[in-house]
């Protein structure tokens, strides 16, 4: 039996297989509100056969948007606007739905990737806004962010909790806290971006404090039926930065606090990073975290072939495979993987007749 297509659970959330659609920013919202693009895009991915679909990084406050076109959930109306998309998916797909909650910190106020700026900074003259961070240290050659006061940190924590409640009220079954890719929570974790001298900086314990507090408060605010996980960058790929050893310490603390899964990525904090990109390049990071905790671990990054994904799960390197660019390129990747691995996969009844004659028994 294929391990990739075996059932598994994240907390009390049961998934039919180990394939997850990772959150991917679409830069297509209007003041945080979803557009028709989101209905089309998410509807398409909901029919992929993956067991879990996590929608893109969604800002918990306006200042925390990566770009002016990011999804937001800082207001009750944002949650209500997501409901029609969720309801439409529910009518036609068994996929479980999650949302990634984030704050961009010093990487906010960025241009759209396709607007010629390559995701670079938007200045105030171009309609940008003042960014914030643990310390007044810029990302690359951007303008310096404003160092957060303890009071503002408290407001951001509250914004994460309120956003999680709105998401659950909208129908999401899983909350992912974004502490990766150089955004605000990652900025607090890394000594390269966090040079505070208060309870949120300095020691590893202090640098982890904000992530720990946000997880604790969200976990306490939500029903145990809702899965809550954290996405981390396991290393900055920069000497003296956040690394795998610190990630393992964090993972152990998250496990104690009832974290339902850890989604392991890497990088994004510093322009000085040197990433050895190749197939499976982040899988060893996921494996190290998985060996240290009992919490389920998701691996992501250049996992493109069904046999590759099967081996990662079957050998215990990770519990789940998260797909991003690969599933944009091939939205039926799980169908094709099931065919190669001799598994069956649930599809919408409207698609049953497309099953190839030489693969009867693929669909269910």
């Amino acid at each position: 039996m294929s391990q990739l297509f075996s059932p598994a659970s994240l907390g009390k959330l049961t998934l039919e297989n180990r394939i997850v659609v990772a959150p991917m920013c679409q830069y297509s919202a209007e003041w945080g509100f979803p557009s028709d693009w989101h209905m089309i895009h998410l509807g398409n991915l909901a029919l992929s056969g993956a067991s879990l679909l996590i929608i893109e990084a969604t800002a918990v406050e306006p200042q925390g948007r990566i770009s002016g076109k990011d999804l937001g959930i800082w207001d009750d109306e944002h949650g209500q606007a997501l409901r029609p998309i969720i309801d439409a998916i529910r009518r036609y797909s068994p996929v479980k739905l999650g949302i990634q909650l984030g704050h961009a910190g010093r990487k906010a106020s960025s241009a759209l990737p396709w607007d010629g700026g390559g995701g670079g900074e938007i200045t105030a003259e171009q309609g940008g806004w003042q960014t914030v961070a643990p310390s007044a240290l810029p990302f690359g050659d951007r303008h310096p962010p404003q160092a957060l006061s303890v009071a503002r940190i408290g407001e951001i924590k509250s914004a994460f909790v309120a956003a999680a409640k709105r998401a659950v009220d909208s129908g999401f079954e899983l909350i992912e806290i974004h502490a990766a890719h150089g955004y605000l929570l990652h900025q607090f974790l890394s000594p390269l971006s966090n040079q505070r001298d208060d309870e949120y900086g300095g020691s590893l314990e202090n640098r982890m404090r904000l992530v720990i507090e946000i997880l604790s408060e969200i976990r306490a605010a939500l029903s145990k039926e809702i899965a809550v996980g954290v996405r981390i960058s396991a290393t900055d790929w920069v000497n003296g930065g956040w690394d795998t050893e610190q990630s393992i310490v964090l993972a152990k603390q998250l496990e104690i606090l009832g974290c339902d899964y850890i989604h392991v990525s890497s990088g994004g904090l510093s322009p000085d990073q040197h990433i050895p990109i190749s197939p499976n390049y982040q899988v060893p990071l996921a494996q190290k975290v998985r060996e240290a905790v009992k919490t389920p671990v998701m691996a992501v990054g250049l996992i493109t072939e069904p046999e590759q994904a099967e081996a990662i799960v079957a050998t215990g390197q990770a519990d789940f495979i998260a797909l991003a660019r690969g599933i944009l390129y091939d939205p039926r990747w799980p169908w094709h993987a099931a065919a190669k691995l001799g598994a069956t996969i649930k599809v919408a009844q409207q698609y049953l007749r497309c099953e190839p004659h030489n693969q009867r028994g693929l669909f269910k």
Side-chain angles (χ1 to χ4, degrees):
M1 177 181 177
S2 166
Q3 293 302 300
L4 185 64
F5 286 92
S6 64
S9 296
L10 298 173
K12 294 189 176 183
L13 183 64
T14 300
L15 304 179
E16 289 197 350
N17 59 54
R18 313 298 184 95
I19 304 171
V20 176
V21 180
M24 293 174 278
C25 290
Q26 297 298 295
Y27 307 107
S28 300
E30 295 294 337
W31 190 239
F33 288 96
S35 64
D36 289 345
W37 173 257
H38 290 94
M39 179 70 82
I40 296 166
H41 165 69
L42 295 171
N44 180 36
L45 293 180
L47 298 173
S48 68
S51 63
L52 173 63
L53 168 59
I54 307 175
I55 75 166
E56 65 195 82
T58 304
V60 299
E61 66 173 27
Q63 198 173 20
R65 291 171 296 159
I66 302 166
S67 77
K69 293 288 189 176
D70 280 28
L71 270 184
I73 194 163
W74 62 80
D75 189 278
D76 290 347
E77 291 183 1
H78 289 120
Q80 293 164 10
L82 286 165
R83 191 71 203 219
I85 298 173
I86 295 169
D87 289 345
I89 290 172
R90 291 265 184 270
R91 283 194 292 273
Y92 298 108
S93 171
V95 72
K96 305 299 184 184
L97 294 172
I99 186 172
Q100 186 184 71
L101 302 180
H103 191 298
R106 68 182 189 175
K107 291 179 76 175
S109 191
S110 294
L112 304 184
W114 52 79
D115 270 357
E121 180 182 25
I122 297 176
T123 65
E125 293 75 21
Q126 298 168 317
W129 58 93
Q130 175 64 55
T131 61
V132 297
S135 305
L137 301 171
F139 177 74
D141 59 1
R142 294 184 178 214
H143 285 85
Q146 183 179 72
L148 288 163
S149 67
V150 172
R152 273 292 287 132
I153 291 172
E155 290 174 356
I156 289 171
K157 281 194 295 182
S158 297
F160 268 93
V161 177
K165 291 179 179 178
R166 290 186 192 105
V168 171
D169 288 344
S170 299
F172 288 101
E173 298 151 292
L174 175 146
I175 303 295
E176 181 167 285
I177 300 165
H178 198 359
H181 300 161
Y183 298 123
L184 184 64
L185 301 189
H186 185 183
Q187 292 161 28
F188 270 89
L189 293 172
S190 177
L192 298 177
S193 49
N194 183 350
Q195 296 182 9
R196 301 175 69 95
D197 58 6
D198 62 6
E199 66 266 37
Y200 288 101
S203 69
L204 175 58
E205 178 183 6
N206 284 353
R207 285 184 280 115
M208 295 192 307
R209 189 180 305 278
L210 182 55
V211 174
I212 295 294
E213 289 179 344
I214 288 174
L215 172 70
S216 298
E217 293 185 24
I218 288 178
R219 183 70 283 173
L222 303 183
S223 162
K224 296 295 184 183
E225 302 299 317
I226 303 299
V228 181
V230 178
R231 191 174 200 183
I232 65 169
S233 280
T235 176
D236 291 338
W237 299 111
V238 179
N239 289 334
W242 181 256
D243 56 27
T244 309
E245 289 70 28
Q246 295 173 86
S247 294
I248 288 171
V249 175
L250 174 62
K252 290 179 177 179
Q253 289 298 310
L254 296 175
E255 182 172 57
I256 291 170
L257 295 169
C259 183
D260 291 313
Y261 72 93
I262 301 171
H263 190 169
V264 180
S265 189
S266 71
L269 184 105
S270 170
D272 297 327
Q273 65 187 14
H274 294 284
I275 304 177
I277 295 179
S278 63
N280 277 11
Y281 75 102
Q282 292 180 150
V283 173
L285 305 174
Q287 182 176 2
K288 288 180 180 179
V289 174
R290 189 179 186 273
E291 289 170 350
V293 296
K294 295 180 181 178
T295 305
V297 169
M298 293 181 187
V300 66
L302 281 181
I303 302 169
T304 58
E305 303 303 319
E307 297 87 351
Q308 180 187 7
E310 176 72 18
I312 292 167
V313 175
T315 59
Q317 293 174 283
D319 301 284
F320 294 86
I321 302 299
L323 303 175
R325 291 173 177 85
I327 205 161
L328 290 184
Y329 181 75
D330 179 6
R332 299 293 178 263
W333 191 97
W335 294 19
H336 304 146
K340 278 195 172 185
L341 299 173
T344 57
I345 192 164
K346 185 176 289 187
V347 302
Q349 61 185 2
Q350 291 89 342
Y351 289 167
L352 289 174
R353 61 185 169 179
C354 78
E355 185 174 33
H357 290 293
N358 63 350
Q359 291 176 356
R360 291 295 180 192
L362 171 64
F363 293 164
K364 60 180 178 179

